[in-house]
Amino acid sequence: MIVYHPSKVRNVVLLGHSGSGKTTLAETMLFESGAISRRGTIEEGNTTSDYNEVEKDKLKSVYSSFMNLEWRGHKINLIDTPGTTDYSGEVLGALKVADTAIFVLDAEHGVEVGTEILWNYARKYKTPSFFVINKIDHPNADFQRTLDLARELFGRHVVPVQYPYNEKGDFNAIIDVLKMTMYEFPKNGGKPDKLPIPDSHKAQAELLHNELIEAIAENDEVLMDIYFEKGTLGENEMRQGMRNAMTNGDFCPLFCASALRNMGSGRIMGFIDNVAPSPMQTHPDNSKNGKAVDINPDEKTAAFMFKTVSEEHVGDLMYFKTITGSMKPGIDLVNHSTGGMNRIGSLFLTQGHKRIEVPEIKAGDIGAVVKLKDAGVNDTLHEKGYECVIDPVEYPEPTIRAAIRTHDQANEEKLGAALNQIQREDPSLSIEHSQELKQIIISGQGEEHLAMVKHRLSSRFKVDVEYYKPGIPYRETITKAVRSHYKHKKQSGGAGQYAEVYMLVEPLMEEMPEYNDITVRKTDEIDLPWGGKLVFRNCIVGGVIDNRFMPAILKGIMDKLENGPMSGSRARDVRVSVYDGSMHAVDSNEAAFKTAGTMAFKKGFLDANPQLLEPTYKVEISIPAEFMGDVMSDLATRRGQILGMDSEGSFQTVTALVPLAELYRYATHLKSKTQGRGTHTRTFDSYTPVPGDIQDKVMKETAKLEEA
């Protein structure tokens, strides 16, 4: 394999809804370029990218996979990604290192729900993009409808470069309005004949050709002047104009193809190597200090690690993109995150599951390395003394959570180790060993995502598990001020225990009242680890409680805050003023005052109209318009508070505040309500008061647990 200069490298990621034909398009491009000698099919389970057994069973991509091909003096790194939003972590890692995104649309179904989420990801990374409308040969194909939907959702800068001469079962020719040529394909696909555009299509082709030139020129003043002067643009001017406009996000060309019948892939690859930007021409990565890091083969070496795959008998295979310099076996690189040193071993390019050893991977190129002792996803490795740290991939908030446990308690330690390994490979997964809920909470991007984790635990780690309903991390607070008193007196032979504490317990607010009979000597503001605050005030005068006992009183209050007086949930946002008490010269000690502090606080808290709080999430739901009524009605039953609604073409976005307790398995429920087409995202918003009936229910459940 030739070691390519970054100017000759193209890093391309395939994005699109599951079933749009990304894997088939990748297979066809590999075959057309000569990288493989025979095209596999998804049905036969022998495609280059979907090589995992799970993918063969599901007949769809579950993991991102990496391939490469050579086309007309260029190297194209091709990344096939899953189309199901449950596997968005795989997509984001690929997008981070790609320099061009190809959105594959299904000519039968148009732009499907979820594609706009991928589009937003690409916009976030400022990835130059273009579209391919695939399956033009399908009996229900509708090119124009799909084009109209794409322009409606993604903007008028989606501009057709091609359109089909005929569609559905008759499809065998494409009219290219950039080249002003018709490509006619043989029956079984492959290399087309280049023919003049038929007279019946000349007017339409000319119109679209002029629209294309205008779209290219309008984003460049120099090209606009040339266009006004000449009425057209030359081939080099159009190529440079398209590349610049794509890089700036102002132009998204659109092609058409039948990947299954090998019609159109060659022209797409030609556009990639001729127009799509190289790694040196796209927006540079940002370092953590905000400084741009350009792809530069002449600088010292730095590489960004973006994906881990654990292979049996091999260990972790780390995928990376060389940012500067050149990765070579034997060099020593520092992990900026840990300071640890890594010696680079054998380097590989991958063709699906096949590894091809190479002597060097230059800046801008993507490769893999095994057996790094100190590296993980989002780490930057660089030469010693060369500061280069790439911004990490930001993964979306989980959309589903569940508690997980083993069938056999003897496997609990094994489960913990297995989950840690899976999370290393999939950072979009969240694992929490909750001491508060006494559960292991696993959070992912959807029901299918969690099902995949369960499958991996069983098949790879031999740990059988079950999911069950997770607890809710409620919080407790109070709504009125009360004065509380507790005397702890214990005598049972020998030294006794004695402590008496008077305290004022108040809800913490922005403007707090002061009291004539309370003199504040010292105030401690404590940010609680679980959120909220405790303000603890020492208001003792006259030495009725020695200062050395105040930390013990505070410790007693903190213990009770962590195990709330009302339901056992953690408490927050309270001000406590210790203003009086008494002690004994012999029997008073720290243990006695800790107990007195705990009991006085508990009594005061329970008398102060305690209020249970629940975590509330901001939820954004994207659905086809026809399901709007059902989804809105369902939100009402979940105590949802609608914040707003927006429409993008035939899709609707609903934003609402919904309690976490009402979101259990919501992703599955939403798909059921919308025939699998609804998606949602959620982010924590705030803690809000629980309705009285639910508070009573939680209290009763807590009482039962305490009795048990």
Side-chain angles (χ1 to χ4, degrees):
M1 173 71 72
I2 301 170
V3 177
Y4 283 85
H5 188 272
S7 63
K8 295 294 185 180
V9 172
R10 302 290 185 268
N11 297 313
V12 179
V13 60
L14 297 171
L15 305 175
H17 195 276
S18 183
S20 59
K22 302 183 298 298
T23 299
T24 303
L25 178 60
E27 192 77 3
T28 299
M29 292 168 73
L30 291 170
F31 175 74
E32 191 69 16
S33 68
I36 58 176
S37 58
R38 178 179 178 273
R39 285 200 303 159
T41 67
I42 291 171
E43 290 73 22
E44 292 176 358
N46 59 353
T47 57
T48 306
S49 58
D50 286 1
Y51 57 85
N52 191 283
E53 289 302 318
V54 173
E55 294 173 313
K56 293 177 183 180
D57 290 343
K58 288 181 171 290
L59 299 179
K60 68 176 183 180
S61 301
V62 171
Y63 306 102
S64 56
S65 71
F66 298 79
M67 300 150 284
N68 62 89
L69 58 90
E70 294 172 305
W71 187 258
R72 298 177 184 172
H74 291 76
K75 179 191 177 194
I76 299 176
N77 290 317
L78 203 57
I79 312 173
D80 186 20
T81 64
T84 306
T85 53
D86 289 49
Y87 309 117
S88 56
E90 295 285 329
V91 174
L92 286 168
L95 255 175
K96 175 71 175 178
V97 298
D99 303 303
T100 301
I102 301 179
F103 284 85
V104 182
L105 306 179
D106 188 328
E108 178 190 7
H109 298 296
V111 183
E112 296 171 269
V113 169
T115 307
E116 72 275 17
I117 295 176
L118 300 173
W119 173 260
N120 290 336
Y121 289 155
R123 295 302 92 189
K124 177 181 176 181
Y125 285 114
K126 299 180 180 178
T127 308
S129 305
F130 68 91
F131 291 83
V132 174
I133 298 181
N134 188 30
K135 301 186 180 181
I136 297 294
D137 57 321
H138 192 278
N140 298 321
D142 191 331
F143 173 85
Q144 190 60 48
R145 178 176 63 88
T146 306
L147 170 62
D148 291 343
L149 276 172
R151 301 188 82 172
E152 190 174 355
L153 281 170
F154 309 125
R156 305 307 297 176
H157 46 260
V158 177
V159 182
V161 170
Q162 298 176 332
Y163 69 92
Y165 173 71
N166 43 19
E167 289 186 74
K168 304 179 181 178
D170 297 329
F171 174 68
N172 71 335
I174 294 171
I175 292 176
D176 192 303
V177 300
L178 176 60
K179 298 283 190 180
M180 289 305 285
T181 299
M182 185 171 85
Y183 297 101
E184 187 177 73
F185 297 89
K187 182 178 180 181
N188 295 321
K191 187 175 181 180
D193 293 324
K194 298 179 182 179
L195 304 173
I197 295 173
D199 291 342
S200 59
H201 280 260
K202 278 186 177 178
Q204 183 180 358
E206 287 287 352
L207 177 65
L208 293 176
H209 178 74
N210 289 332
E211 287 181 2
L212 179 61
I213 293 176
E214 288 176 11
I216 297 167
E218 70 181 11
N219 296 298
D220 188 311
E221 290 184 6
V222 174
L223 293 180
M224 184 62 79
D225 290 340
I226 295 173
Y227 176 63
F228 282 143
E229 182 181 339
K230 297 182 178 179
T232 189
L233 296 175
E235 185 174 337
N236 288 336
E237 292 161 344
M238 291 180 71
R239 179 172 59 249
Q240 188 60 46
M242 282 191 290
R243 180 182 296 139
N244 292 342
M246 281 179 64
T247 303
N248 293 330
D250 299 323
F251 177 70
C252 296
L254 181 141
F255 295 78
C256 59
S258 168
L260 184 63
R261 294 172 61 188
N262 190 11
M263 296 180 181
S265 62
R267 179 71 180 96
I268 292 167
M269 289 189 289
F271 183 83
I272 291 171
D273 67 42
N274 198 34
V275 176
S278 75
M280 302 178 76
Q281 295 167 323
T282 53
H283 295 282
D285 275 299
N286 284 330
S287 68
K288 286 186 177 179
N289 61 13
K291 182 181 177 182
V293 183
D294 293 310
I295 299 293
N296 184 353
D298 301 320
E299 184 56 88
K300 289 184 177 180
T301 300
F304 178 71
M305 306 287 144
F306 66 91
K307 180 178 171 68
T308 301
V309 177
S310 184
E311 296 188 357
E312 198 171 0
H313 309 306
V314 177
D316 287 350
L317 182 71
M318 294 288 307
Y319 284 87
F320 64 88
K321 181 177 183 179
T322 307
I323 305 300
T324 56
S326 185
M327 286 282 274
K328 297 178 182 178
I331 64 171
D332 292 320
L333 300 179
V334 179
N335 183 340
H336 192 276
S337 300
T338 66
M341 188 68 73
N342 289 271
R343 173 153 291 185
I344 302 303
S346 299
L347 299 174
F348 302 95
L349 301 179
T350 57
Q351 200 71 286
H353 71 283
K354 295 179 182 177
R355 294 199 304 270
I356 306 155
E357 191 168 351
V358 291
E360 180 183 6
I361 297 179
K362 282 186 177 290
D365 208 347
I366 292 171
V369 61
V370 294
K371 297 180 180 176
L372 293 181
K373 68 176 184 178
D374 181 38
V377 173
N378 276 335
D379 286 340
T380 302
L381 306 187
H382 57 77
E383 287 190 54
K384 192 173 182 179
Y386 174 53
E387 289 293 317
C388 177
V389 188
I390 303 302
D391 272 346
V393 178
E394 294 181 11
Y395 295 97
E397 290 288 329
T399 62
I400 189 170
R401 65 192 287 268
I404 184 172
R405 61 190 171 202
T406 62
H407 296 299
D408 183 358
Q409 286 189 344
N411 281 333
E412 284 187 3
E413 190 173 326
K414 192 176 179 182
L415 171 63
L419 287 173
N420 287 337
Q421 177 61 39
I422 290 173
Q423 190 179 29
R424 268 177 54 82
E425 298 173 29
D426 183 2
S428 68
L429 195 70
S430 171
I431 309 293
E432 178 192 1
H433 296 261
S434 175
Q435 296 300 316
E436 177 183 1
L437 300 173
K438 298 177 177 59
Q439 294 176 326
I440 300 176
I441 305 294
I442 180 169
S443 302
Q445 303 302 321
E447 191 89 26
E448 190 174 324
H449 191 196
L450 295 194
M452 185 58 59
V453 172
K454 187 175 182 180
H455 172 80
R456 292 172 73 184
L457 286 169
S458 175
S459 61
R460 178 173 157 193
F461 297 98
K462 312 305 178 189
V463 179
D464 291 325
V465 299
E466 65 176 352
Y467 293 132
Y468 63 104
K469 191 172 183 177
I472 303 297
Y474 290 108
R475 296 289 179 262
E476 299 178 14
T477 192
I478 54 176
T479 58
K480 75 173 186 178
V482 299
R483 296 189 183 228
S484 179
H485 161 248
Y486 187 83
K487 181 187 287 187
H488 178 63
K489 188 175 181 180
K490 185 177 180 183
Q491 191 72 43
S492 58
Q497 288 192 2
Y498 180 89
E500 185 176 25
V501 173
Y502 289 82
M503 63 176 61
L504 172 65
V505 183
E506 303 171 272
L508 188 62
M509 298 177 290
E510 286 188 13
E511 294 185 10
M512 298 290 294
E514 294 300 339
Y515 302 87
N516 294 331
D517 63 331
I518 293 179
T519 302
V520 181
R521 294 180 57 196
K522 183 184 177 186
T523 300
D524 291 318
E525 284 197 13
I526 301 168
D527 290 319
L528 300 170
W530 49 86
K533 282 187 177 184
L534 165 67
V535 175
F536 179 73
R537 305 199 301 174
N538 179 353
C539 307
I540 295 298
V541 293
V544 292
I545 299 178
D546 197 298
N547 274 340
R548 64 192 172 98
F549 294 132
M550 297 307 291
I553 297 173
L554 174 58
K555 180 68 166 59
I557 294 169
M558 287 292 294
D559 284 354
K560 187 43 64 178
L561 282 169
E562 190 164 2
N563 185 23
M566 180 171 57
S567 67
S569 303
R570 290 168 173 172
R572 55 180 284 171
D573 300 327
V574 180
R575 185 172 80 168
V576 178
S577 305
V578 179
Y579 64 89
D580 201 359
S582 64
M583 59 183 180
H584 189 275
V586 177
D587 293 342
S588 289
N589 55 37
E590 290 184 355
F593 272 99
K594 179 185 174 186
T595 301
T598 298
M599 299 307 295
F601 177 71
K602 178 179 179 180
K603 182 176 181 296
F605 196 99
L606 292 175
D607 290 341
N609 283 354
Q611 171 69 61
L612 197 65
L613 306 174
E614 63 181 342
T616 301
Y617 279 66
K618 184 178 181 181
V619 180
E620 289 192 1
I621 306 161
S622 180
I623 47 173
E626 62 263 33
F627 301 110
M628 189 70 166
D630 289 343
V631 170
M632 293 285 282
S633 299
D634 182 61
L635 283 173
T637 68
R638 295 174 183 271
R639 298 187 284 130
Q641 177 188 344
I642 306 299
L643 299 180
M645 292 174 282
D646 196 11
S647 61
E648 291 186 37
S650 61
F651 300 134
Q652 300 285 328
T653 300
V654 181
T655 305
L657 291 178
V658 185
L660 178 62
E662 303 291 348
L663 289 173
Y664 179 58
R665 301 196 68 185
Y666 182 66
T668 307
H669 188 79
L670 179 64
K671 286 183 177 180
S672 174
K673 283 271 184 188
T674 60
Q675 298 175 12
R677 300 172 67 193
T679 61
H680 85 288
T681 61
R682 63 175 80 169
T683 53
F684 173 75
D685 184 77
S686 60
Y687 270 90
T688 55
V690 168
D693 58 329
I694 295 177
Q695 179 166 316
D696 292 342
K697 181 181 177 183
V698 172
M699 293 281 287
K700 289 176 183 176
E701 289 175 353
T702 302
K704 286 181 181 178
L705 287 173
E706 287 179 351
E707 288 176 11

